[in-house]
Amino acid sequence: TSLHPQSLQQLPSVGYQRALSAEGVLSLHPDVLIGSEEMGPPPVLAQIKAAGIRIESLSARPDLDALESNVLRLGELLGRPQQAHEEIAAYRQALQHQAAWVAKAREQQSAPRVLMLLGHAGSNLMAAGKDSLAVWLIERAGGESRTEHSGYKPISSEALLAMDPQVLIVADRSLQGEEARQAVLRQNPLLAQTSAVRDGRVLSLDPTLLVGGLGPRLPEGLVELSAAFYPSEPALTAELDR
């Protein structure tokens, strides 16, 4: 499931976390299978467990307490508890710097209305709602999400226009960057009526950032989103360097 860091691509793959194969996992002769609570399907996990493989399931909740618990548990499982404590401390410090920057930016400017859309080649769009990592990212980066539903669901034209997002984030599973932005606008011409499109504030986000809870690239992703939400403020990287 994970594509980052790049070095992971040199390792054997057992496929998508929700569609594991007992044969694929067992062929690697593991002592323990570690994954998020999203891994499955359950019958495959039961087969793996029946084969004598220990299974450790970690929370995929999008919050810092869950992340800290996961990292410390990994430290125990891998025999590196001190490194785990150091890693989570550095992560929290980076987020504290970013939160302080956002608080300062919001003294000068109100939070922009932000909507994140997930899709495939510009179609089948799903809007990020409450209790999702996408909305956690938006709010942590200093934006305001006005979706009322939970999780990821289709959004009606009426709701989209009523929301009138000032910033639109596109997370496409097959396209990236400008290609993803153009595809979603081409497939969904109604978006042209939003403030975000009129003002040229359409961003592209790597959808793998939204897999499995809070990940190691999130602080960097938040920096990029915050800078896009508050473009008139001094660069966040300069704040961190100080």
Side-chain angles (χ1 to χ4, degrees):
T1 300
S2 299
L3 300 176
H4 300 274
Q6 195 75 17
S7 58
L8 288 183
Q9 298 185 40
Q10 306 304 315
L11 299 175
S13 171
V14 293
Y16 179 48
Q17 63 171 354
R18 295 181 188 268
L20 297 177
S21 156
E23 293 79 7
V25 172
L26 294 176
S27 70
L28 298 174
H29 307 291
D31 296 311
V32 58
L33 173 64
I34 305 173
S36 84
E37 59 194 1
E38 297 174 340
M39 68 177 170
V44 169
L45 296 183
Q47 284 181 280
I48 294 171
K49 187 174 182 180
I53 307 303
R54 180 179 173 188
I55 296 178
E56 289 283 343
S57 179
L58 305 178
S59 174
R61 291 199 327 270
D63 63 59
L64 285 172
D65 289 340
L67 174 66
E68 180 166 346
S69 176
N70 289 346
V71 172
L72 296 182
R73 181 62 182 145
L74 281 170
E76 294 174 4
L77 292 169
L78 302 176
R80 298 183 179 181
Q82 183 59 37
Q83 182 182 352
H85 281 279
E86 293 170 357
E87 294 286 355
I88 195 63
Y91 195 97
R92 281 189 174 275
Q93 185 176 36
L95 292 185
Q96 287 168 1
H97 278 293
Q98 185 266 340
W101 185 94
V102 167
K104 187 175 181 181
R106 292 186 68 166
E107 292 176 0
Q108 309 298 323
Q109 177 187 332
S110 58
R113 300 183 302 277
V114 183
L115 176 65
M116 185 180 295
L117 297 173
L118 281 72
H120 180 75
S123 61
N124 303 320
L125 293 182
M126 308 284 278
K130 298 175 182 178
D131 303 318
S132 69
L133 178 53
V135 166
W136 186 94
L137 276 171
I138 289 170
E139 295 177 343
R140 185 84 191 196
E144 178 186 358
S145 172
R146 294 190 176 180
T147 48
E148 295 296 328
H149 62 264
S150 295
Y152 301 93
K153 295 181 179 178
I155 185 170
S156 68
S157 300
E158 294 79 7
L160 175 64
L161 293 178
M163 194 178 304
D164 189 25
Q166 295 167 294
V167 179
L168 194 62
I169 304 173
V170 177
D172 195 289
R173 294 191 293 273
S174 60
L175 303 176
Q176 295 181 351
E178 184 61 25
E179 193 177 11
R181 287 191 287 269
Q182 291 303 320
V184 76
L185 296 179
R186 185 169 55 251
Q187 294 281 349
N188 305 273
L190 183 70
L191 293 174
Q193 299 181 39
T194 64
S195 297
V197 175
R198 288 198 303 269
D199 296 338
R201 302 185 72 185
V202 181
L203 315 176
S204 177
L205 183 79
D206 182 348
T208 63
L209 280 171
L210 306 176
V211 176
L214 306 191
R217 294 180 296 143
L218 276 187
E220 180 183 353
L222 283 171
V223 165
E224 294 178 4
L225 288 179
S226 293
F229 292 175
Y230 300 94
S232 62
E233 293 301 307
L236 177 53
T237 51
E239 294 286 330
L240 290 173
D241 289 342
R242 287 211 304 266

